[in-house]
Amino acid sequence: MSFSDDEIERYARHLVLAEIGGPGQQRLKAARVGLIGLGGVGAPAALYLAAAGAGTLRLIDDDTVALSNLQRQIVFETPDVGRPKVEAGARALTALNPHVVIEGAAERLDATNAARLIEGCDVVIDGTDDFATRFVVNAASVAAGIPLVSGALGRWSGQVGVFAGRPCYRCLVAETPPDAETCARVGVVGALAGVVGAMTALEAIKLITGAGEALTGRLLLYDGLAGTARTARVTADPACPVCG
Ligand SMILES: [Zn+2]
């Protein structure tokens, strides 16, 4: 796979990095990343992955753009309100980087279609904010052997984890917590979505290029209000219904 002059100039800052360079950029171009949800996490992640030259992005979201999304879902613009997210996202991402192939799936991911929707992806990023969908994405990713980058946020804090086989996301979250919160109810600072979304894109880039140490089996917890972060190891659950 060779690069045009445009691509060489476009990716110049990657090409000089020892951990990416030409071979890493080729791996990025050959990769397909599945984005489950084009929301607070998925929208900035998609922008950075398109800019990075991830060859194919599969956008999976059945929603339309709402005015209240624009405070943090920066892939969308005001005229996009009311349009399908997959369609508006594809337009913006293609404008940012015409070398990237966008596959849109305006479907709500569930247990009946998850395997098909993530098939052929090298990495899946889950930025959805309901546990039922997260559990389905996790089970499908484990079954297909696809590494899962999980990003979540609410109010002023967020977390990012990478799961590849065992431990899986279900080892971390066994059941839907009774006090599960949604951003719609408790709020979220828009810039925090940028932090967490960019972190999930970074982890995907590391997984694809082999650079550094991915957050595999670990969870990075970021407290935006305090300005602190810590990393915790995820323990495999012997009774996990997915990977146990
Ligand atoms: Zn598990």
Side-chain angles (χ1 to χ4, degrees):
M1 197 179 285
S2 62
F3 292 117
S4 64
D5 289 348
D6 175 286
E7 288 172 293
I8 290 167
E9 188 175 345
R10 181 182 286 270
Y11 306 130
R13 303 298 184 277
H14 274 170
L15 296 173
V16 298
L17 282 174
E19 296 82 2
I20 298 182
Q25 195 63 46
Q26 297 241 1
R27 279 182 218 120
L28 279 169
K29 187 172 179 172
R32 177 187 282 106
V33 180
L35 289 132
I36 321 288
L38 217 50
V41 174
L47 280 171
Y48 269 111
L49 288 168
T56 305
L57 297 180
R58 184 176 296 161
L59 314 179
I60 303 160
D61 198 312
D62 70 333
D63 230 343
T64 55
V65 180
L67 189 56
S68 63
N69 295 157
L70 302 184
Q71 167 251 19
R72 64 201 176 286
Q73 299 174 20
I74 56 171
V75 73
F76 307 122
E77 298 180 344
T78 304
D80 291 326
V81 171
R83 288 182 187 148
K85 283 189 166 185
V86 161
E87 194 184 301
R91 192 181 303 130
L93 298 168
T94 303
L96 173 60
N97 188 349
H99 300 288
V100 175
V101 176
I102 307 293
E103 299 175 342
E107 295 178 61
R108 183 165 180 81
L109 184 142
D110 59 30
T112 67
N113 61 15
R116 170 173 58 81
L117 288 173
I118 68 167
E119 189 181 11
C121 290
D122 297 287
V123 181
V124 164
I125 296 179
D126 185 2
T128 57
D129 72 349
D130 74 281
F131 286 96
T133 306
R134 285 175 173 273
F135 290 159
V136 169
V137 172
N138 176 61
S141 302
V142 170
I146 301 171
L148 169 66
V149 182
S150 176
L153 65 163
R155 303 181 200 239
W156 292 87
S157 60
Q159 59 182 54
V160 178
V162 176
F163 303 93
R166 186 162 164 80
C168 74
Y169 179 80
R170 196 69 184 265
C171 294
L172 175 68
V173 184
E175 299 296 339
T176 299
D179 56 348
E181 295 179 338
T182 66
C183 290
R185 197 157 57 80
V186 302
V188 62
V189 188
L192 181 72
V195 172
V196 173
M199 276 187 190
T200 64
L202 184 66
E203 290 304 314
I205 289 167
K206 285 160 61 185
L207 287 166
I208 291 163
T209 60
E213 300 276 330
L215 278 170
T216 310
R218 293 183 294 154
L219 197 64
L220 189 149
L221 300 127
Y222 176 69
D223 181 338
L225 208 49
T228 56
R230 65 187 178 89
T231 308
R233 199 155 281 285
V234 178
T235 311
D237 178 359
C240 177
V242 178
C243 75

